[in-house]
DNA sequence: TCTGAAATGTGTTCAAT
DNA sequence: ATTGAACACATTTCAGA
């Protein structure tokens, strides 16, 4: 992960469909060199894939929520089963396993509030290991899609 | 958004760097047709971009957390200012504005627990509008990167 | 490791349907 | 809207530095 690799990673996060030639031009190496760098990054697992970002409203899934679950009893088997279950739900677009008052936080995207309500009642309430949940409707979700190593940046907090 | 568009969207979410020819072959149309479909989807805002997925550990940011913030006083101006502020923080990889007990939920990725602690103290505690926060360290985060319209799927909750 | 050049394959346009 | 064919351009390989 030298300077060139960091630049490649930065640019491909911003635009995964840039051509290899353009990418090579931007970082100042030959296309063949650039191609080999990208392949090495992929081989090493640094680049994990390339994904189109789709407007959730276009999928008729404009309503999002965070749902914090409490799991009981809190054994590995039970928590693994709960994670396995919620991961199969089509409404769920992300699963966080966390430490603290909650055990699992779901990021869900559904059509409307009615579907959200139905999902909570029909899919979560009936599971005995889900002892409780708190739902927070999301007004807005902004993601930073271009992540850099933090060490570069001012660590003083000023 | 007919059947062909849905297929395109599905495939590009799974692999954004697929060639247009291969994509055309998979959905059974000519490359020129496929190209025009993809362009139309982009023009209409359905496809919002293409992004490489990078391993956070490779960026030396293997520790993630959700940080739920309470903002006071809860006016539009204050909440907008808070969102604007947290969005500038390099540690923050996602910002959820939510309804409920919390006002903002941050998704952060840092090097280690020490950096997390420093971020909370140096960057959040000193902001007067941040009246309190709860931090949940993330053990695991799984995302579903291929989202489909929900209407296709069994709505009974069975 | 990087490069330039050759070969193979692809993106893109356009006239026709 | 979709197509096939043509052209320009890109990806990929590989021998040599």
């Amino acid at each position: 992960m030298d300077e060139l690799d960091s630049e490649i990673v930065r640019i491909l996060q911003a635009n995964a469909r840039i051509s290899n030639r353009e990418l090579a031009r931007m970082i100042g190496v030959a296309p063949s060199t650039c191609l080999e760098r990208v392949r090495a990054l992929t081989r090493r697992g640094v680049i994990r894939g390339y994904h189109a970002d789709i407007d959730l409203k276009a999928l008729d899934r404009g309503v999002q929520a965070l749902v914090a679950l409490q799991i009981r009893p809190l054994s590995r088997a039970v928590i693994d089963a709960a994670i396995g279950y919620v991961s199969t739900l089509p409404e769920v677009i992300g699963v966080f396993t966390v430490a603290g008052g909650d055990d699992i936080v779901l990021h869900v995207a559904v059509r409307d509030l009615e579907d959200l309500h139905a999902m909570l009642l029909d899919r979560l309430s009936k599971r005995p290991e889900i002892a409780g949940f708190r739902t927070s409707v999301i007004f807005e979700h902004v993601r930073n899609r271009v992540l850099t190593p933090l060490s570069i940046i001012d660590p003083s907090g000023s």
Side-chain angles (χ1 to χ4, degrees), chain A:
Chain A
M1 266 305 242
D2 60 7
E3 194 57 39
L4 242 45
D5 286 338
S6 292
E7 268 298 281
I8 289 172
V9 160
R10 195 183 59 71
I11 294 167
L12 287 179
Q13 284 181 96
N15 175 16
R17 278 192 77 97
I18 191 175
S19 75
N20 181 61
R21 283 180 107 85
E22 174 76 358
L23 180 57
R25 202 189 51 73
M26 288 175 85
I27 66 174
V29 297
S32 47
T33 305
C34 187
L35 193 66
E36 181 46 36
R37 288 274 191 157
V38 171
R39 285 213 266 239
L41 287 166
T42 305
R43 224 174 16 244
R44 284 158 45 203
V46 174
I47 296 173
R48 303 187 348 160
Y50 306 94
H51 307 281
D53 174 22
I54 304 300
D55 181 14
L56 285 172
K57 282 178 192 140
L59 298 174
D60 200 18
R61 299 178 66 165
V63 170
Q64 296 177 61
L66 294 178
V67 185
L69 309 180
Q70 292 87 48
I71 305 298
R72 296 294 179 278
L74 205 48
S75 69
R76 174 183 275 276
V78 172
I79 241 222
D80 285 353
I83 292 169
Y85 171 67
V86 297
S87 299
T88 68
L89 299 178
E91 294 90 348
V92 171
I93 66 178
V95 179
F96 299 90
T97 310
V98 296
D102 305 311
D103 303 304
I104 299 174
V105 176
L106 304 180
H107 182 192
V108 305
V110 293
R111 186 173 42 177
D112 51 27
L113 286 174
E114 190 180 346
D115 284 6
L116 175 61
H117 197 198
M119 187 236 160
L120 296 174
L121 296 182
D122 297 337
R123 307 232 203 234
L124 299 185
S125 295
K126 58 172 53 165
R127 295 286 296 194
E129 77 270 31
I130 299 180
F133 53 83
R134 282 179 303 109
T135 303
S136 301
V137 172
I138 297 170
F139 294 130
E140 194 184 15
H141 178 206
V142 179
R143 286 183 48 201
N144 180 7
R145 306 181 105 74
V146 183
L147 307 181
T148 51
L150 284 184
S151 36
I152 300 175
I153 297 160
D154 169 18
S156 75
S158 63

